[in-house]
Amino acid sequence: MRPGVVAALAFASLLLLDAAPVPREDAPLPERLADTGGGTQLITALAPTTGATSGTVSWWDRRDGRWVKAGSAPARFGARGLVEGGSRTQGTSTTPTGLYDMPYAFGIKAAPTGTKTLYRPVHQDSWWCEDSASASYNRWTEPLPPDCRASESEHLAAYDPQYGHALVIGFNYHHPVRGRGAGIFLHVNGRGATAGCVSVPEDAMRRILLWADPARGPHIAIGTAGGTTAISRY
């Protein structure tokens, strides 16, 4: 084959790559995301702006090459809105945006019958250590270790109804950066906005627990409708 023909074919291939279809604005939300975590289940937590304290949580299944909505519910976010997860600071009452896995579930109440996700029951000595100086930073502990101050941590049994049922969000979890934040969960609604978590009504939380299947690699994408924290970036 002549060199000119080879070059022409290569150029045509580049044009085809550049012309790869862009998801339509009316496409299912997961199809507009840069990444969905590689599994076949996804939760989206969408806020209209970074200053919003409410929005929508939806959960999706990947079926026959398409994302199909399995459920949806009103959601609440941090009292001071949302912020890019990589630059978040602990104690700011902001919800971190980004794409995260969900290591396990827990709750003051028993797991709904049929829950597949690992579910840890909350006991009176169950704590989430949020002391950035502790070796147990951003970890469940039973009991509270000596190097973790109670004033800087959450006594899980004290948060009812919020921790009636909850899923751990993998923000700053696998390789914790001290001072970035700890104890970010998807949990049951309290009286108002959260301290940084995402919350939904109790019936929705139960439905999510029954839906989630670790074998299908569920993740959660948290973001806004547009801007630098747009959910489509994650």
Side-chain angles (χ1 to χ4, degrees), residues 45-55 76-85 87-88 92-98 194 196-198 221-225 228-231 234:
L46 179 64
T49 65
T50 53
T53 59
S54 62
R76 294 174 182 169
F77 299 102
R80 294 187 178 177
L82 298 87
V83 69
E84 170 62 46
S87 59
R88 184 180 185 270
T92 55
S93 293
T94 52
T95 297
T97 61
T194 74
C197 295
V198 180
I222 306 169
T224 55
T228 58
T229 54
I231 197 168
Y234 301 113

Side-chain angles (χ1 to χ4, degrees), residues 37-74:
T40 58
Q41 286 189 327
L42 180 71
I43 298 173
T44 55
L46 179 64
T49 65
T50 53
T53 59
S54 62
T56 304
V57 158
S58 300
W59 49 106
W60 307 78
D61 291 303
R62 184 77 172 171
R63 298 177 184 166
D64 301 322
R66 290 187 60 81
W67 286 100
V68 179
K69 187 182 291 186
S72 186

Side-chain angles (χ1 to χ4, degrees), residues 22-41:
V22 176
R24 299 178 310 178
E25 290 187 4
D26 61 347
L29 182 56
E31 294 183 11
R32 290 178 266 146
L33 269 60
D35 189 5
T36 57
T40 58
Q41 286 189 327

Side-chain angles (χ1 to χ4, degrees), residues 169-219:
I169 294 174
F171 166 73
N172 201 33
Y173 182 79
H174 299 287
H175 304 285
V177 175
R178 298 181 186 279
R180 180 155 292 166
I184 300 298
F185 312 126
L186 173 62
H187 64 69
V188 176
N189 282 342
R191 293 184 177 180
T194 74
C197 295
V198 180
S199 73
V200 293
E202 182 177 6
D203 67 312
M205 193 68 232
R206 291 177 63 88
R207 283 186 285 148
I208 290 170
L209 284 174
L210 289 170
W211 161 86
D213 183 353
R216 299 181 60 195
H219 283 68

Side-chain angles (χ1 to χ4, degrees), residues 90 126-145 147-150 152-156 178 181-183 185:
Q90 184 163 320
S126 301
W127 290 77
W128 198 273
C129 180
E130 299 180 5
D131 186 340
S132 61
S134 172
S136 300
Y137 180 60
N138 204 19
R139 286 293 183 273
W140 175 297
T141 64
E142 286 184 0
L144 191 69
D147 74 337
C148 187
R149 291 170 292 173
E152 297 293 321
S153 303
E154 289 190 350
H155 185 206
L156 299 179
R178 298 181 186 279
F185 312 126

